Amino acid sequence: MTLLMPPEWAPQDWLWIGFPHLAEEWPSFLEPAQEQIAAFANAVANSGQEVRLLVRDETNAARARALVSSKVTLEQRVYGDIWLRDTGPLVRGDRSALRCGFNGWGGKYEMPGDETIGAELARDAGLDVIERDWILEGGAIDGDGTGLVVTTEQCLLNPNRNPEMTRAEIESALQRDLGFDRFLWLGDGLINDHTDGHVDNLARFVAPGRLCLPRATGTDDPNAAVYSDAKARAEAFGVEVAEIPSPGRIERDGQVEPASYVNFAITSNLVAVPTFGSPHDADGVAAIAGLFPDRETIGLPADAVLAGGGGFHCASQQMPARN
């Protein structure tokens, strides 16, 4: 079997989702963030896919039980942030799980459990765990299932991740550990993204060789230059670009938020798109629905989730089905 990670649209056995529990990480937004993550978990479970919702302690579990249906399984675990896309296992085609080093997104958000939760989930799922010491978060890469991966220079070449590694050495590590053999490097990610420009908030493969990218919405879209540069790089590389509307300018307390419909979660039967109360929400969801004719696509409020630094894709990690 190949080491290559299955694309996200491949069949999945279940979806892990993290449930918010730290009030200091969600100032004034913990309860609505919990409600929005619960709605996401319920939607996936109601679509017919197993959902394993991680909760931190019994108090956190009681709150989750009050919000989710009986179709959602709760698992009490030790974790800090809920962003399992980055801390969870990256399952390869050979049914092993890769766990690279994790340093709290460049040393900014280090919390107990985040370094170990990925290996714990993988071993409890019966997977062999391959551990590497270079830093890699799952949200920093996105593959199309053919060996092509997209990432950003802002994140993977950031000196707060792997300062001793060159671009060529990072490409070599991605090939050795995840089977990627072609590399599409975009530039910067979204403005004020806590992750230093994770690609899953900017560009996502929706089919082999087909990349979904936002286009600027409104004359004051703060990421217009980011989107334009990403499109130019992708087209020069030779992939097909499928553009969707951006949410436009989204601010909280006068600061631009890294809001993106591209942070959608692809599950076996459903695509869950984060929405932000933008007048462009309906158009964004409809555009993504057009990219997935084989699945239902729904928009779910995620403004409170975003207040903690991410979206539905960030908060989840799939377990690919056995081939």
Side-chain angles (χ1 to χ4, degrees):
M1 296 179 69
T2 177
L3 296 182
L4 187 64
M5 288 177 61
E8 196 169 329
W9 55 82
Q12 302 173 11
D13 279 343
W14 64 78
L15 189 72
W16 287 291
I17 299 175
F19 190 67
H21 65 95
L22 287 169
E24 57 268 33
E25 287 298 304
W26 311 82
S28 305
F29 289 97
L30 179 59
E31 290 191 358
Q34 290 173 332
E35 291 162 4
Q36 290 177 356
I37 287 292
F40 168 42
N42 285 336
V44 178
N46 289 337
S47 77
Q49 181 166 338
E50 181 181 352
V51 173
R52 301 184 178 186
L53 183 66
L54 272 58
V55 293
R56 184 62 175 80
D57 51 32
E58 189 51 47
T59 299
N60 194 230
R63 170 66 171 159
R65 287 191 196 100
L67 296 172
V68 299
S69 77
S70 60
K71 296 178 182 179
V72 176
T73 299
L74 303 188
E75 292 189 3
Q76 190 165 315
R77 303 278 186 173
V78 176
Y79 62 98
D81 250 325
I82 70 168
W83 314 124
L84 298 180
R85 184 62 48 181
D86 300 333
T87 60
L90 301 179
V91 182
R92 312 187 300 182
D94 66 349
R95 299 293 286 183
S96 65
L98 177 70
R99 277 312 304 152
C100 289
F102 179 75
N103 71 347
W105 298 276
K108 295 189 293 296
Y109 309 101
E110 296 179 283
M111 302 180 191
D114 283 347
E115 290 187 30
T116 56
I117 186 62
E120 179 183 327
L121 291 175
R123 291 193 176 102
D124 286 355
L127 304 179
D128 292 331
V129 177
I130 308 302
E131 296 187 348
R132 303 294 191 194
D133 61 1
W134 67 291
I135 302 299
L136 177 69
E137 301 110 29
I141 56 174
D142 196 70
D144 78 340
T146 73
L148 174 60
V149 65
V150 62
T151 187
T152 67
E153 294 171 344
Q154 183 188 2
C155 184
L156 278 200
L157 300 185
N158 198 307
N160 66 11
R161 300 304 206 277
N162 299 289
E164 75 288 354
M165 295 178 72
T166 65
R167 181 192 301 247
E169 288 170 335
I170 289 172
E171 290 182 352
S172 178
L174 286 169
Q175 183 165 19
R176 177 197 66 200
D177 294 339
L178 291 169
F180 297 120
D181 56 17
R182 285 163 291 137
F183 308 92
L184 169 54
W185 287 89
L186 304 182
D188 288 343
L190 269 59
I191 291 172
N192 292 334
D193 188 330
H194 298 185
T195 66
D196 303 310
H198 270 188
V199 78
D200 70 344
N201 221 27
L202 170 64
R204 300 282 302 285
F205 282 114
V206 296
R210 193 178 195 202
L211 189 70
C212 173
L213 283 169
R215 62 172 176 268
T217 304
T219 58
D220 63 345
D221 193 313
N223 291 292
V226 172
Y227 302 148
S228 178
D229 180 66
K231 181 181 180 183
R233 291 180 185 232
E235 290 181 337
F237 188 88
V239 300
E240 177 189 356
V241 172
E243 289 187 289
I244 65 169
S246 85
R249 190 179 194 90
I250 303 293
E251 294 186 357
R252 180 178 286 113
D253 298 329
Q255 179 169 307
V256 170
E257 290 277 83
S260 178
Y261 303 131
V262 173
N263 205 267
F264 52 77
I266 309 170
T267 68
S268 293
N269 306 309
L270 181 76
V271 179
V273 182
T275 61
F276 310 100
S278 164
H280 311 295
D281 284 350
D283 289 341
V285 174
I288 293 169
L291 303 176
F292 295 97
D294 61 332
R295 287 168 167 84
E296 181 186 5
T297 297
I298 62 170
L300 294 169
D303 56 319
V305 178
L306 180 61
F312 296 141
H313 191 253
C314 301
S316 60
Q317 182 61 264
Q318 71 275 3
M319 176 65 181
R322 186 179 298 276
N323 291 335

